[in-house]
Amino acid sequence: METNTTPLSLSYHPMPITTNTIVPPLRLVFLMWLMFAIQFSTGYDLGFLGISPRTINGLIGIFTAPLIHGNLNHLISNTLPMLFLGATLYLFFPRIASQVFIQCYFLTNLFVWVFARPFYHIGASGLVYGIAFFLISFGWFTKHPKSILVSVVVVLIYGGLVYGVLPLNSHISWESHLMGAIVGVGSAYGISKARKS
């Protein structure tokens, strides 16, 4: 008798709705607010922990840039989508969530270091874009009904993010947005292909 050998690890496996689904993004948000509190209370600019493209000193930003924000509005604008999109990722795709999260974190920052304009790039928006574009594109690659539903919901809520990948504002790191989007779509495509193989 022929059996179905499709890996179950990449299919839709919702976790029970508990606080566990928000713990990983909540940890990152805690670090973001902690770093901002240190910066605010000491008056010391931590911008040097951002990504300075193609410089040795700027390599540290691959690890630290998403934790550093220029002001409270910048921090809040990344906090809310990080919590929502991160929780969605871990709720609907728990077995691949950490892989996606790590890829969107480090690969996005690495590409920014390689390709971006030569000034300090800070903030978690690259990671936010990575997770958002993963969630949007994964359903279309897998054709799984519930994954498509997640894609549609994210598009309805965060569809406007697509404009952030365009160089419309020179004071915003649109490169982080663009690299995050590329990594998110690439991760969705790679994981969906692995699922079908």
Side-chain angles (χ1 to χ4, degrees), residues 3-193:
T3 59
N4 185 358
T5 58
T6 301
L8 296 177
S9 60
L10 301 180
S11 59
Y12 171 81
H13 290 285
M15 296 172 63
I17 299 179
T18 68
T19 55
N20 291 336
T21 61
I22 203 171
V23 167
L26 191 60
R27 285 175 180 158
L28 180 68
V29 167
F30 171 77
L31 291 175
M32 288 161 50
W33 280 84
L34 176 62
M35 296 299 284
F36 184 79
I38 293 172
Q39 185 169 252
F40 180 78
S41 61
T42 63
Y44 190 66
D45 185 3
L46 298 179
F48 70 93
L49 294 176
I51 301 168
S52 180
R54 298 171 297 283
T55 66
I56 298 300
N57 291 339
L59 284 169
I60 191 173
I62 294 174
F63 302 92
T64 58
L67 307 179
I68 310 301
H69 292 79
N71 54 53
L72 187 59
N73 287 337
H74 187 202
L75 178 61
I76 292 174
S77 69
N78 282 331
T79 294
L80 299 179
M82 178 62 65
L83 291 175
F84 176 78
L85 295 169
T88 301
L89 175 66
Y90 277 86
L91 173 64
F92 288 94
F93 310 106
R95 301 195 182 188
I96 59 171
S98 291
Q99 175 188 348
V100 172
F101 195 91
I102 290 170
Q103 288 179 179
C104 290
Y105 190 107
F106 289 109
L107 289 181
T108 296
N109 292 341
L110 178 61
F111 290 160
V112 170
W113 184 86
V114 173
F115 297 110
R117 289 168 293 163
F119 64 81
Y120 282 99
H121 299 256
I122 59 174
S125 58
L127 176 58
V128 167
Y129 270 72
I131 296 173
F133 274 78
F134 172 84
L135 293 173
I136 289 170
S137 57
F138 190 64
W140 304 111
F141 287 134
T142 62
K143 302 297 189 293
H144 191 285
K146 291 180 180 178
S147 297
I148 292 175
L149 178 61
V150 171
S151 299
V152 171
V153 170
V154 174
V155 166
L156 291 175
I157 298 175
Y158 288 108
L161 287 177
V162 68
Y163 296 107
V165 305
L166 303 174
L168 302 177
N169 189 335
S170 62
H171 301 291
I172 294 175
S173 179
W174 58 268
E175 296 98 326
S176 295
H177 302 169
L178 177 60
M179 298 307 156
I182 290 171
V183 170
V185 173
S187 297
Y189 178 77
I191 292 173
S192 67
K193 292 291 286 185

